[in-house]
């Protein structure tokens, strides 16, 4: 038996205007101060104001959202008493909003207690709306919550099916101003979700279609969206189409992997990101070609072969893993992202000093559970070494 969880999704041009159809009395908006300063979230804030509700903006969310931000936001929620909480921004504000919502409804819990096996009993005080401003995390439609434990320098994978949003508003207009690096990093995050959601051991007939469509669209549209982020005239029709397709693909990938799980690239990327403060999408996207090569050398590479075939990637030397990894590396290079941690600028000595922690934390990451080929400790250590040096996997 499988579960499929999804919010009500309103998407496409002018999706934000549907806020006027929702009965909101008091809205607590969780976002990032930088997004406010850049004017990115103003169109959404303006639509919220049009509802006539009382609104409080909590903007103390940072990249790699912390437990401290959740505590501060929960205090704000308890004082303001909202009937709707709105996560507005990238994955960090949306994940923080989910956690604040749970803490607001369940003051007897701490974030570390949010897991799939407890009954939360949410929606007694408030409901949740998610509004993404990036095309990547899929957090608008997943029930996952990723927070950073600063004391132990690690990421915590939390979440419960109950804390999926009630409504996700996916409006491509909010993503048009993403700069090149953010376009590339979030696009690779979405692609990694799609690929890993398809090949992981918990994939289903329902998630397969979502992940396949998302992967196909991202391969085609991410280079165009990246070009749009650098263009003098980003309003060209093909640029607008690419932005919209990417925004929808990120949501599709979120629905797919959110109901299947991800895999080894996420387990590795989570710890690399938390230890070396590398953006999440850049970290998981960098790891993906290596973990694909590793998985394809396992006992049953049929899922990788099927995905490679369905994506129309020509297989060389009868090795689908190598061919898919080569296509991924070509795309990563096309959007000017690094192909190794050494290329990213990490020092090998510093990296090796953290290697034991990287391997230990990756083994404890929830996303390793569904890896199509489970690595041993020695194999995972070797994978981290190959990712650092940019060496194609041969074991």
């Amino acid at each position: 038996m499988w579960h499929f969880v999804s919010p009500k999704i309103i998407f496409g041009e002018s999706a934000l205007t549907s806020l006027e159809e929702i009965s909101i009395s008091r809205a607590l908006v969780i976002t990032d101060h930088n997004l406010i300063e850049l004017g990115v979230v103003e169109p959404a804030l303006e639509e919220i104001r049009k509802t006539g509700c009382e609104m409080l903006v909590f903007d103390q969310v940072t990249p790699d959202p912390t437990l401290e931000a959740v505590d501060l936001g929960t205090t704000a929620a308890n004082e303001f008493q909202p009937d709707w909480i709105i996560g507005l921004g990238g994955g960090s504000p949306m994940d923080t909003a989910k956690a604040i919502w749970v803490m607001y409804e369940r003051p007897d819990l701490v974030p570390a207690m949010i897991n799939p096996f407890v009954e939360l009993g949410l929606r007694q005080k408030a409901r949740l709306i998610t509004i993404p401003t990036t095309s990547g995390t899929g957090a608008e439609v997943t029930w996952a919550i990723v927070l950073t434990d600063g004391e132990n320098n690690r990421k915590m994978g939390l979440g419960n099916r109950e804390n999926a949003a009630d409504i996700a508003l996916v409006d491509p207009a909010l993503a048009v101003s993403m700069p090149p690096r953010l376009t590339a990093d979030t696009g690779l995050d979405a692609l990694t979700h799609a690929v890993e959601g398809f090949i992981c051991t918990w994939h289903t007939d329902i998630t397969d279609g979502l992940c396949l469509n998302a992967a196909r669209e991202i391969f085609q549209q991410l280079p165009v969206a990246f070009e749009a982020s650098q263009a003098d005239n980003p309003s060209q029709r093909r640029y607008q189409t690419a932005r919209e397709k990417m925004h929808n693909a990120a949501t599709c990938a979120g629905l797919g992997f959110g109901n299947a799980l991800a895999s080894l690239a996420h387990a590795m990327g989570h710890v690399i990101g938390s230890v070396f403060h590398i953006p999440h999408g850049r970290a998981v996207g960098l790891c993906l070609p290596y973990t694909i090569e590793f998985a394809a050398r396992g006992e049953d590479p049929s899922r990788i072969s099927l995905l490679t075939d369905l994506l129309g990637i020509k297989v060389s030397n009868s090795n689908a893993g190598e061919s898919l990894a080569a296509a991924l590396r070509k795309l990563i290079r096309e959007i000017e992202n690094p192909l190794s941690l050494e290329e990213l600028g990490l020092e090998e000595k510093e990296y090796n000093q953290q290697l034991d922690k990287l391997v230990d934390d990756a083994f404890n990451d929830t996303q390793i559970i569904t890896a199509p080929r489970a690595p041993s400790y020695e194999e995972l250590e070797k994978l981290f070494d190959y990712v650092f040096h940019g060496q194609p996997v041969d074991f």
Side-chain angles (χ1 to χ4, degrees), residues 70 74 94-104 111 114 145 147 158 163:
V70 173
T74 302
M94 289 188 285
D95 279 3
T96 303
K98 294 173 194 175
I100 290 171
W101 179 34
V102 175
M103 296 300 99
Y104 173 54
I114 306 173
I145 301 172
L147 300 175
L158 312 170
N163 66 235

Side-chain angles (χ1 to χ4, degrees), residues 371-389:
R373 178 188 174 191
S376 66
Y377 189 96
E378 292 74 18
E379 287 171 333
L380 188 53
E381 185 177 49
K382 198 171 181 180
L383 267 176
F384 273 109
D385 183 67
Y386 277 40
V387 169
F388 181 84
H389 290 103

